[in-house]
């Protein structure tokens, strides 16, 4: 099992839709999780940090399910500008490095 | 001005050439990282440094070397470039207190022919 796995998508949704991505991880000892956003050919940027059961920031909600070892990212009322690749990130076993998922691509259409 | 800068932004080089990618940051972070990104594979860690005297190999360090010239500067070298090192390279930094919240440079697109 890969350390971090994501559905590559793409997810194609209309403006205003609600969309959710899942990310599974293998290290049951992980305590913190992160979602990054990456626009095409640009650098990844931190979107949300999850240090407990979940986090919410405006239209974005991240939830953690420790029993099943996955985190999810929910985007409500999707905007055209939400079109990007969303990277799931989990610290590695040693705690010194971050493991990046390959990303989920989202396209929001008018 | 950007907090993390990388030079060059694009580079085309030939097999066997030595090339250096440079990274500078103004965030005052101690930790710096070099990643490469290939389609479908996500970001993979090449090297990381916790301070000027502490440099560590990542998961794919073969064929690469690094130098931490100062807290603010971290360079990546390809001693003898090969075509499968064609990729997008990112430098990143993080603070000691929040090591997993990383700030990335704009990337260097490297093509080895």
């Amino acid at each position: 099992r890969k350390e971090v796995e994501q559905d590559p998508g793409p997810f194609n949704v209309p403006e205003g839709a609600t969309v959710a991505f899942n990310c599974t991880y293998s290290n049951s000892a992980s305590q913190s999780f992160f979602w990054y956003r990456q626009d095409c050919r640009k650098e990844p940027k931190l979107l949300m940090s999850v240090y407990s059961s979940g986090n919410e920031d405006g239209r974005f909600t991240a939830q953690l399910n420790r029993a099943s070892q996955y985190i999810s990212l929910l985007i409500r009322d999707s905007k055209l500008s939400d079109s990007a690749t969303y990277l799931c990130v989990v610290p590695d076993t040693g705690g010194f490095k971050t493991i990046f998922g390959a990303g989920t691509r989202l396209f929001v259409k008018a | 001005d950007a907090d993390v800068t990388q030079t060059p932004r694009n580079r085309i080089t030939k097999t066997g050439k030595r090339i250096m990618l440079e990274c500078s940051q103004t965030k005052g972070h101690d930790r710096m990282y070099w990643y490469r990104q290939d389609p479908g594979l996500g970001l993979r860690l090449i090297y990381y440094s916790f301070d000027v005297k502490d440099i560590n190999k990542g998961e794919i360090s073969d064929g690469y070397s690094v130098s931490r010239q100062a807290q603010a500067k971290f360079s990546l070298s390809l001693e003898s470039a090969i075509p499968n090192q064609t990729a997008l390279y990112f430098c990143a930094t993080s603070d000691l207190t929040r090591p997993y919240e990383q700030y990335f440079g704009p990337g260097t697109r490297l093509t080895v022919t």
Side-chain angles (χ1 to χ4, degrees):
Chain A
R1 181 180 180 181
K2 287 185 179 179
E3 292 177 278
V4 179
E5 288 195 84
Q6 296 183 252
D7 182 341
F11 285 64
N12 294 287
V13 303
E15 271 188 297
T18 295
V19 62
F21 316 130
N22 281 345
C23 166
T24 59
Y25 61 93
S26 60
N27 181 9
S28 60
S30 295
Q31 296 295 313
S32 55
F33 307 86
F34 307 86
W35 284 100
Y36 282 70
R37 171 199 168 119
Q38 185 175 24
D39 293 309
C40 187
R41 296 174 178 266
K42 296 291 184 68
E43 71 272 25
K45 292 184 179 179
L46 181 65
L47 179 65
M48 296 186 77
S49 304
V50 184
Y51 290 102
S52 58
S53 61
N55 193 6
E56 184 171 334
D57 183 6
R59 298 182 294 107
F60 296 82
T61 300
Q63 292 185 318
L64 169 62
N65 185 318
R66 290 190 187 277
S68 300
Q69 293 184 215
Y70 74 86
I71 58 174
S72 62
L73 179 67
L74 179 77
I75 305 175
R76 289 181 296 276
D77 188 22
S78 298
K79 311 292 185 189
L80 294 176
S81 58
D82 293 335
S83 297
T85 297
Y86 291 84
L87 308 175
C88 171
V89 177
V90 179
D92 80 336
T93 304
F96 298 121
K97 299 174 289 186
T98 47
I99 308 298
F100 284 80
T104 297
R105 296 191 71 185
L106 171 66
F107 292 103
V108 181
K109 305 168 294 184
Chain B
D1 288 339
D3 294 320
V4 184
T5 58
Q6 292 183 233
T7 56
R9 295 292 313 279
N10 291 281
R11 180 72 181 268
I12 300 174
T13 192
K14 294 185 182 298
T15 297
K17 293 292 187 181
R18 183 179 188 274
I19 183 169
M20 178 181 288
L21 310 182
E22 298 187 343
C23 176
S24 294
Q25 53 115 346
T26 58
K27 298 191 73 68
H29 289 166
D30 288 320
R31 299 188 174 194
M32 298 187 73
Y33 311 81
W34 274 105
Y35 293 91
R36 67 175 278 174
Q37 187 173 40
D38 300 276
L41 294 179
L43 286 157
R44 292 183 291 167
L45 184 63
I46 305 173
Y47 272 94
Y48 60 103
S49 170
F50 287 170
D51 64 40
V52 175
K53 297 181 180 179
D54 181 18
I55 293 178
N56 306 278
K57 293 182 178 181
E59 59 181 308
I60 54 163
S61 58
D62 287 348
Y64 301 94
S65 63
V66 291
S67 173
R68 184 83 183 265
Q69 300 94 324
Q71 187 206 37
K73 295 183 182 296
F74 192 35
S75 60
L76 175 72
S77 294
L78 287 67
E79 297 301 326
S80 179
I82 56 177
N84 76 1
Q85 291 179 312
T86 293
L88 185 55
Y89 289 84
F90 288 106
C91 172
T93 73
S94 68
D95 183 72
L96 177 66
T97 59
R98 290 182 177 268
Y100 311 118
E101 296 181 5
Q102 298 185 5
Y103 297 84
F104 286 79
T108 294
R109 187 165 297 278
L110 176 66
T111 303
V112 183
T113 62

